[in-house]
Amino acid sequence: WIENVDCNSSTSESPPLHLQLMALSTKELERRLSSMHTCSNGSEFVTKPCSDKTRSDGKKNSKRNRTCKVHKHAKLATELAVALRHSRPVRRCQGVPVPVQSTDYLLSLLRCTTLWPPSEKQRKGVSASRYLTLRKHHPPEQDELWNLCKNLIVSFIPDAIYNALAITSAFKGSPHIDNHDT
């Protein structure tokens, strides 16, 4: 479930929406704004020069009409956050019930496996009591776990395409974009 984030809350663990949106490409920000029919034509961003003064190396900027891509990107992220009223949309999806018997052996294997890496080896910023990544091309000791997960997934989504799985316990995270785990 995706939950609304209160940007003003001092206890909020998620960064403000405009900072989360900065991870999207400029093209994606423009597409989302356009689909909301709130996108400005962007001309105010395109014509704004990065700097018409001296660069940090002491030389004058030779391209006065050069656009500042970073400024444009930040403005689009902010514009989209404003259009969304600084709140992530909530999408509620009906899940598919998984028969308990189909997960019994998998769950018992996960409970007794020694494959869980120590918590100090987890990715920085991950908050989970356990976090294990399985890749399609994995060591032989992960075969049984990979095959059980694959069989479970394929039983519900026969044409599922994936090359890695993250198996977690008590995972807590904030909305983000994984550039390596998609």
Side-chain angles (χ1 to χ4, degrees):
W1 298 99
I2 299 172
E3 298 181 304
N4 289 331
V5 175
D6 179 5
C7 295
N8 300 321
S9 170
S10 60
T11 61
S12 176
E13 293 184 26
S14 296
L17 184 58
H18 71 282
L19 294 179
Q20 295 174 42
L21 294 170
M22 289 290 288
L24 297 174
S25 69
T26 299
K27 206 171 209 169
E28 178 61 16
L29 289 170
E30 289 171 335
R31 186 194 68 75
R32 290 183 185 197
L33 279 165
S34 177
S35 71
M36 294 178 72
H37 305 292
T38 59
C39 184
S40 67
N41 64 11
S43 61
E44 66 178 284
F45 308 131
V46 174
T47 59
K48 185 169 182 142
C50 280
S51 172
D52 55 3
K53 297 183 180 177
T54 307
R55 296 186 324 206
S56 59
D57 61 3
K59 296 180 181 177
K60 287 277 190 182
N61 260 336
S62 60
K63 296 183 178 179
R64 285 188 166 321
N65 294 328
R66 187 177 79 188
T67 59
C68 183
K69 293 177 183 177
V70 174
H71 177 75
K72 175 184 177 182
H73 189 85
K75 291 289 270 182
L76 288 169
T78 301
E79 187 176 341
L80 182 55
V82 168
L84 293 169
R85 295 188 172 111
H86 299 283
S87 179
R88 294 180 65 82
V90 175
R91 293 186 187 148
R92 304 212 184 267
C93 303
Q94 186 68 18
V96 178
V98 178
V100 176
Q101 310 85 323
S102 67
T103 60
D104 286 346
Y105 183 67
L106 175 58
L107 187 56
S108 67
L109 181 63
L110 287 170
R111 286 183 174 143
C112 68
T113 188
T114 58
L115 296 173
W116 297 104
S119 56
E120 64 270 7
K121 295 280 188 183
Q122 288 181 1
R123 290 186 334 200
K124 191 175 182 177
V126 167
S127 174
S129 64
R130 292 182 174 185
Y131 189 102
L132 174 64
T133 304
L134 297 178
R135 306 233 175 258
K136 186 174 187 175
H137 303 290
H138 53 269
E141 62 269 16
Q142 294 180 350
D143 280 347
E144 185 176 23
L145 192 52
W146 175 266
N147 289 331
L148 286 168
C149 291
K150 181 179 87 171
N151 292 340
L152 182 63
I153 291 168
V154 172
S155 70
F156 291 96
I157 310 166
D159 56 348
I161 299 172
Y162 55 94
N163 60 11
L165 297 170
I167 302 173
T168 65
S169 175
F171 179 83
K172 187 175 183 183
S174 63
H176 65 284
I177 295 174
D178 279 330
N179 292 321
H180 304 290
D181 298 334
T182 55

